[in-house]
Amino acid sequence: MKSKFLLKLEILWYTLDGDNMNNKGSTLIEVIVVMVIIGIITVMAFPSITKLQTQNSNKTYLEYEKVLETGAKLYVDKYNRDLWGLNEGGCKGIPVQNLLNEKLIKDFVGKKNEVVDKGQTFVNVTKNNSTKKVSYQVYLVIKKGSKTVYKPSSSVSRCPA
């Protein structure tokens, strides 16, 4: 003889089991619940996806800044005497167009018609008089049409060319 608990459990099992019903598909309520759950997951995931895309774009710009710095180093090696003259140091601004003309760098190829603003992009080269150490500061501006899509957060004043 079965206990009351086992009988109740068995009745519950048969009620929940789909074999005793003639279901041929999902009810409208079930479909709506699934769609709501998918919508909630999408809303939760969207900001993360957008953030990843932005970080990926910024990495592209940061890598191009490294290219500009490397091109500026090559430019300084080539024109060291012309840049500094008889002075032992100072600050000189190298426009990105000079680096392109000398074929020291390739032009930026961005997504969705993004281009380097050649009028505003430059590399400042500073040579310390006493230590003879040279430092480089890149200022990169990327535009899409007339809209600026990337520029450094800190403003940099351009050294004389």
Side-chain angles (χ1 to χ4, degrees):
M1 188 158 174
K2 294 183 181 179
S3 69
K4 277 184 162 181
F5 176 73
L6 288 176
L7 283 172
K8 286 182 181 179
L9 189 61
E10 194 173 304
I11 290 169
L12 182 63
W13 176 257
Y14 283 117
T15 305
L16 295 176
D17 189 13
D19 290 340
N20 61 351
M21 297 185 191
N22 287 328
N23 285 344
K24 295 195 178 191
S26 302
T27 65
L28 182 59
I29 300 292
E30 291 170 334
V31 171
I32 290 173
V33 168
V34 169
M35 290 178 70
V36 167
I37 291 171
I38 291 172
I40 290 170
I41 291 171
T42 303
V43 167
M44 289 171 49
F46 187 75
S48 299
I49 293 169
T50 306
K51 183 178 176 184
L52 286 173
Q53 287 176 332
T54 303
Q55 287 175 345
N56 191 28
S57 293
N58 285 345
K59 282 182 185 177
T60 304
Y61 306 142
L62 293 174
E63 288 301 317
Y64 194 68
E65 283 182 356
K66 290 179 185 176
V67 168
L68 291 174
E69 183 176 332
T70 302
K73 287 177 181 178
L74 294 169
Y75 189 88
V76 167
D77 284 345
K78 186 174 183 179
Y79 294 104
N80 191 19
R81 185 167 220 117
D82 293 337
L83 279 175
W84 312 114
L86 298 175
N87 297 329
E88 294 295 319
C91 183
K92 297 291 179 182
I94 303 173
V96 70
Q97 193 61 53
N98 291 12
L99 302 175
L100 289 166
N101 292 345
E102 293 292 324
K103 296 185 175 28
L104 299 173
I105 62 169
K106 290 187 178 181
D107 206 354
F108 178 79
V109 180
K111 299 177 189 173
K112 306 171 195 160
N113 301 324
E114 296 174 342
V115 295
V116 172
D117 184 345
K118 292 179 178 74
Q120 293 185 33
T121 300
F122 58 91
V123 181
N124 278 341
V125 183
T126 308
K127 186 175 181 183
N128 189 316
N129 286 336
S130 58
T131 63
K132 307 293 187 241
K133 191 173 185 178
V134 179
S135 63
Y136 300 86
Q137 187 177 25
V138 177
Y139 190 78
L140 173 64
V141 178
I142 303 288
K143 290 199 169 196
K144 181 179 179 182
S146 61
K147 181 183 174 193
T148 300
V149 292
Y150 176 80
K151 82 180 195 182
S153 56
S154 61
S155 78
V156 177
S157 57
R158 186 187 303 217
C159 295

